[in-house]
Amino acid sequence: MLRRGSQALRRFSTGRVYFKNQLKLALIGQSLFGQEVYSHLCKEGHRVVGVFTVPDKDGKADPLAMAAEKDGTPVFKFPRWRVKGKTIKEVAEAYRSVGAELNVLPFCTQFIPMDVIDSPKHGSIIYHPSILPRHRGASAINWTLIMGDKKAGFSVFWADDGLDTGPILLQRSCDVEPNDTVDAIYNRFLFPEGIKAMLFNS
């Protein structure tokens, strides 16, 4: 069983070979980071059966959507997943149609309902740009600098019903340099190393 817990962590840590062509992955997210995670997963031989991202903005698709559409991967663009606290029926049906066994959320600004998070056989993993439990929620990199932290980093964790509170799968950190900015930390470490982490290269 790959779901949360020490056994799951050990099996994930065996590396990408275990997962290659084994699991059906649903990628939920957006942005260049989401696109890079998607592209690298595909190059490594993983099976992405569906991409769930944000709608086009000003007639232009999100980078993740563009990459997946180019590959012929099913792409779903939902402005929202729930209304008045309940999952939208059509959205839930579209999600279930891909038959995902694991959700991967590299960067997601939308609220994903727990019935979707818990739906796959092996649950959901999320990337967060802080060394949890520090700086849960939004603007984590900003808070790392505001609080004068000596270390910055990211966490990949199993999603639960809390705000970035699920069991930690892996963490990576780097020193915060004197002249660091949000962009500097992101481009130097969080972006490139985060992509590697989301490829299950622990």
Side-chain angles (χ1 to χ4, degrees), residues 3-4 103 105 112 114 117-118 122-126 156-162 164-168:
R3 196 177 280 270
R4 310 165 183 89
N103 289 333
L105 287 76
I112 309 302
M114 280 310 300
I117 291 294
D118 286 338
H122 302 302
S124 301
I125 59 171
I126 301 178
V156 178
F157 64 97
W158 296 106
D160 64 8
D161 59 358
D164 303 330
T165 57
I168 301 297

Side-chain angles (χ1 to χ4, degrees), residues 140-160:
I141 311 173
N142 300 67
W143 282 110
T144 297
L145 295 176
I146 291 169
M147 298 301 292
D149 293 355
K150 301 292 187 183
K151 295 280 187 179
F154 61 82
S155 306
V156 178
F157 64 97
W158 296 106
D160 64 8

Side-chain angles (χ1 to χ4, degrees), residues 8 13 27 29 64 110-112 130 142 146 166:
S13 67
L27 204 69
L64 172 57
Q110 296 179 309
F111 182 88
I112 309 302
S130 80
N142 300 67
I146 291 169

Side-chain angles (χ1 to χ4, degrees), residues 33 37 41 104-106 125-127 156 170 193-201:
F33 185 73
V37 170
L41 283 170
V104 178
L105 287 76
I125 59 171
I126 301 178
Y127 170 94
V156 178
L170 63 86
E193 294 302 318
I195 292 170
K196 295 176 186 178
M198 297 304 286
L199 297 180
F200 318 118
N201 294 333

Side-chain angles (χ1 to χ4, degrees), residues 36-69:
E36 287 293 323
V37 170
Y38 165 79
S39 296
H40 281 75
L41 283 170
C42 292
K43 289 178 182 177
E44 290 290 321
H46 298 292
R47 300 168 61 194
V48 180
V49 295
V51 164
F52 299 83
T53 188
V54 295
D56 297 355
K57 185 176 181 180
D58 298 326
K60 186 176 181 180
D62 181 85
L64 172 57
M66 292 176 65
E69 288 171 342

Side-chain angles (χ1 to χ4, degrees), residues 167-183:
I168 301 297
L169 177 58
L170 63 86
Q171 292 181 314
R172 298 285 183 268
S173 64
C174 68
D175 292 333
V176 176
E177 299 177 358
N179 297 319
D180 264 340
T181 62
V182 170
D183 286 345

